[in-house]
Amino acid sequence: MFFDWSNYMNMPTVAIIDFSGKIGTDCSSDLSFSNMKPDIDSAFAQQNCEAVILKINCPGGSPVQCELISTYIKSKIESTKIPVIAFVEEMAASGGYWIACTGSKIYAARSSIVGSIGVIMQSLGFDKVLKKLGVEPRIYTSGENKAIMNPLNPVTEEDEEIMQTLLGDLHQQFIDYVKGSRGNRLSKDHGTLFSGQVWTANASVMKKLGL
């Protein structure tokens, strides 16, 4: 008996790109742009591809890598006209939500964690410990702000102002991207929406926030 595979070869397909883990800054990270690019290329190159699914389980990570990944996916959407839909598993928080916003639609389980539209930078300060131990840090720079946030120095008001300006700029880029992606679906309560808070994806919350 002859089996005609041609009918199956012409059937529509759906490609899935798995975004599981933290978005990193280099090739050693599972979710760096350089590591994800082959998967993205392969997904959009599938024969008779009707849609590309972004399967997301990600707490966030590097804003630069998020932008590189999402921009590249959007370029693929534009060149192939293949729609992209995001499905959230455990979470799409911070940079994970940035990636989710690349899709025209976002689906999630009721208990999935979404949001965290904010920016964080953390460090430790050892200047008081060094003072108690009688240790004198010796730091030489060319440029008055070169040693900003050095853990061996006390934090000054100028340091805090510079860092808040930097974080504010990154946060605004995140906000602009979410607004551009989700449009008029978003809640008008931007103070809450862009506060960095996370929520479960149950229907009542999502209807209120428009995420």
Side-chain angles (χ1 to χ4, degrees):
M1 181 178 69
F2 175 74
F3 191 85
D4 186 2
W5 285 97
S6 61
N7 292 331
Y8 290 88
M9 293 293 288
N10 293 322
M11 290 182 66
T13 61
V14 174
I16 300 175
I17 307 175
D18 188 4
F19 287 92
S20 295
K22 188 174 181 180
I23 301 167
T25 58
D26 54 38
C27 294
S28 64
S29 169
D30 291 337
L31 298 187
S32 65
F33 171 67
S34 58
N35 276 356
M36 294 306 301
K37 183 177 181 296
D39 291 347
I40 297 170
D41 290 337
S42 176
F44 281 92
Q46 294 297 310
Q47 188 174 0
N48 302 319
C49 187
E50 294 288 325
V52 172
I53 305 300
L54 309 181
K55 189 179 75 166
I56 301 172
N57 182 18
C58 175
S62 164
V64 173
Q65 297 298 310
C66 290
E67 183 173 8
L68 289 173
I69 291 169
S70 61
T71 299
Y72 190 65
I73 293 174
K74 282 185 176 294
S75 72
K76 288 290 188 179
I77 296 171
E78 185 175 349
S79 63
T80 65
K81 308 305 179 185
I82 297 174
V84 169
I85 300 171
F87 283 85
V88 180
E89 289 193 331
E90 299 298 324
M91 69 173 61
S94 195
Y97 186 72
W98 185 309
I99 299 298
C101 283
T102 310
S104 59
K105 295 182 179 180
I106 302 175
Y107 293 91
R110 290 183 301 171
S111 55
S112 299
I113 301 298
V114 297
S116 189
I117 304 172
V119 183
I120 184 172
M121 184 176 293
Q122 303 176 87
S123 69
L124 297 173
F126 300 102
D127 54 294
K128 292 182 175 63
V129 174
L130 296 180
K131 187 175 182 180
K132 287 184 177 181
L133 294 175
V135 178
E136 177 187 5
R138 295 175 181 175
I139 303 167
Y140 306 97
T141 68
S142 177
E144 59 181 307
N145 295 316
K146 183 63 179 177
I148 186 173
M149 297 298 290
N150 187 302
L152 304 182
N153 286 340
V155 177
T156 66
E157 290 184 4
E158 290 77 12
D159 292 343
E160 291 182 347
E161 183 177 349
I162 291 172
M163 295 311 300
Q164 283 301 137
T165 299
L166 174 63
L167 294 176
D169 182 36
L170 291 171
H171 192 195
Q172 189 60 53
Q173 292 176 38
F174 195 173
I175 291 171
D176 292 342
Y177 184 79
V178 173
K179 285 182 176 180
S181 171
R182 306 302 288 162
N184 58 13
R185 288 170 289 195
L186 294 175
S187 162
K188 301 302 181 183
D189 184 8
H190 290 173
T192 299
L193 188 59
F194 301 129
S195 68
Q197 185 176 338
V198 296
W199 299 271
T200 58
N202 70 68
S204 61
V205 173
M206 293 302 97
K207 184 177 181 180
K208 178 181 178 181
L209 296 173
L211 287 173

